[in-house]
Amino acid sequence: MSVRKSTTASVRRVATLASTTARPTTERERERRRIAVLCLPFFALAVVAGFVPLAMLVRISLAEDTIWMEGWSFEAWETLATTAEYRRVAWNTLWFVGLATAVSVALGVAVAHVLEKYDLPAKRLVVAAVSFPIALPGIIVAYLVIVLLGRQGLVTNAVAVATGGAPLELASATAITGLFLGFVYSLLPRATMVLRGTYAEINTQAEEAARALGASRWQTFYHVTFPEIRPGIVAAVILTFRSGLAIFGTVLILQSHRVITLQIHNEMSVGSYNPDVAAAIGLVYVVFIVAFTFVGLQFVENDAVEI
């Protein structure tokens, strides 16, 4: 089937679907209309808060005069495509957030496994402590890192006393390690919460059968538990990676590694005011997030795991 015929067939299917939803004749079509009505507030919000700002970003990125929004120019996109600094920022963002995601999800698997498989004392308190960073703004996380790893930080001075080193040399809050810890601290609860939901869906009888046949705890986890939680791991990777790309407050305070959110802030700052380039970066960011999500969801086979 040619592309033209395929497109025409898709348009007809959408038109038929819209027509039957507006004027249903069967119970299935009436249910579809009820779902559409319930989803209307979301679609209205998506248009106002999503599509309209995106359209504005497109216009700003192509405006010759970004103040009065006049004229058309591809200068911002040419600058973005030909300047090595922007490619370096993109690479910095990908490897740093990717590494923070990998560590957060690995720790999330361990924490979720302990929470779901062992009868811990004060379990509710542990769950509250693990999930607590979700409620913290990135700026607060940055200050926590400074309090622990800054020049007068608790950990810094404890290590200095134990090793005889100088606190100024041991401080790492504003180094890339401090920023990395801030990212993991923010992302770990997100990965853990997703994985806890996955653990609730696994077949415990298969694990018990493996244990009864003589498998060790590690063999049971690797051969039975891990395949069942794999969709949850993929979902956790998608969620934490997207969340990591969006972190700004922690990066703004610590500023030890230039990532895309900090670059957008710099493009909008006084002295280097480039709203058209900032808009182009924002559009690339949105397109990448959407593409990454759709590709990642192809690996999620368990319908019970959703983002």
Side-chain angles (χ1 to χ4, degrees):
M1 181 181 293
S2 66
V3 175
R4 185 175 180 179
K5 289 182 178 179
S6 177
T7 304
T8 303
S10 299
V11 171
R12 285 178 179 172
R13 281 197 297 271
V14 172
T16 303
L17 185 63
S19 176
T20 55
T21 302
R23 285 175 286 187
T25 56
T26 65
E27 182 56 31
R28 183 179 181 183
E29 292 171 353
R30 280 190 284 273
E31 181 180 2
R32 188 184 300 150
R33 186 174 65 175
R34 286 194 291 271
I35 294 173
V37 171
L38 291 173
C39 291
L40 274 179
F42 167 76
F43 287 123
L45 181 64
V47 170
V48 175
F51 297 124
V52 172
L54 282 177
M56 288 301 298
L57 284 181
V58 172
R59 183 66 184 96
I60 294 172
S61 70
L62 295 174
E64 186 176 8
D65 185 340
T66 55
I67 297 177
W68 301 104
M69 213 70 77
E70 294 177 347
W72 298 89
S73 172
F74 288 97
E75 185 178 349
W77 290 97
E78 291 176 359
T79 302
L80 200 61
T82 58
T83 305
E85 182 64 23
Y86 294 116
R87 292 195 292 274
R88 187 156 44 246
V89 170
W91 170 242
N92 286 346
T93 305
L94 290 176
W95 79 256
F96 185 78
V97 178
L99 183 60
T101 297
V103 172
S104 301
V105 173
L107 292 175
V109 171
V111 173
H113 189 87
V114 169
L115 289 174
E116 297 300 320
K117 296 297 181 183
Y118 295 94
D119 188 16
L120 299 177
K123 186 174 180 179
R124 291 183 179 180
L125 183 62
V126 175
V127 172
V130 171
S131 60
F132 178 67
I134 290 180
L136 292 180
I139 292 177
I140 302 300
V141 173
Y143 281 121
L144 289 177
V145 173
I146 292 173
V147 167
L148 293 175
L149 303 176
R151 294 177 179 178
Q152 297 178 334
L154 299 176
V155 175
T156 301
N157 283 277
V159 174
V161 171
T163 62
L168 290 178
E169 297 176 354
L170 295 172
S172 58
T174 54
I176 195 169
T177 51
L179 184 64
F180 184 79
L181 290 175
F183 266 62
V184 172
Y185 183 70
S186 298
L187 298 178
L188 174 59
R190 292 170 169 79
T192 303
M193 294 303 108
V194 172
L195 287 162
R196 284 196 70 198
T198 304
Y199 265 91
E201 301 291 335
I202 65 175
N203 183 2
T204 56
Q205 293 180 340
E207 293 179 321
E208 293 170 358
R211 293 284 294 164
L213 292 173
S216 65
R217 290 185 181 277
W218 169 249
Q219 289 172 327
T220 302
F221 173 81
Y222 184 75
H223 293 290
V224 180
T225 308
F226 181 73
E228 293 201 55
I229 67 170
R230 192 160 46 200
I233 292 176
V234 175
V237 167
I238 295 172
L239 179 64
T240 53
F241 188 74
R242 292 191 315 186
S243 301
L245 291 175
I247 289 178
F248 173 62
T250 310
V251 179
L252 178 64
I253 298 299
L254 300 180
Q255 296 212 7
S256 56
H257 191 62
R258 187 181 292 184
V259 295
I260 190 169
T261 50
L262 183 60
Q263 185 64 35
I264 293 175
H265 168 75
N266 292 341
E267 297 293 344
M268 296 297 293
S269 300
V270 177
S272 59
Y273 187 64
N274 299 309
D276 51 344
V277 175
I281 296 174
L283 288 170
V284 172
Y285 174 87
V286 171
V287 170
F288 176 79
I289 287 290
V290 173
F292 171 78
T293 302
F294 275 103
V295 171
L297 288 177
Q298 300 302 314
F299 295 94
V300 182
E301 298 176 353
N302 188 348
D303 292 336
V305 179
E306 298 177 349
I307 296 178

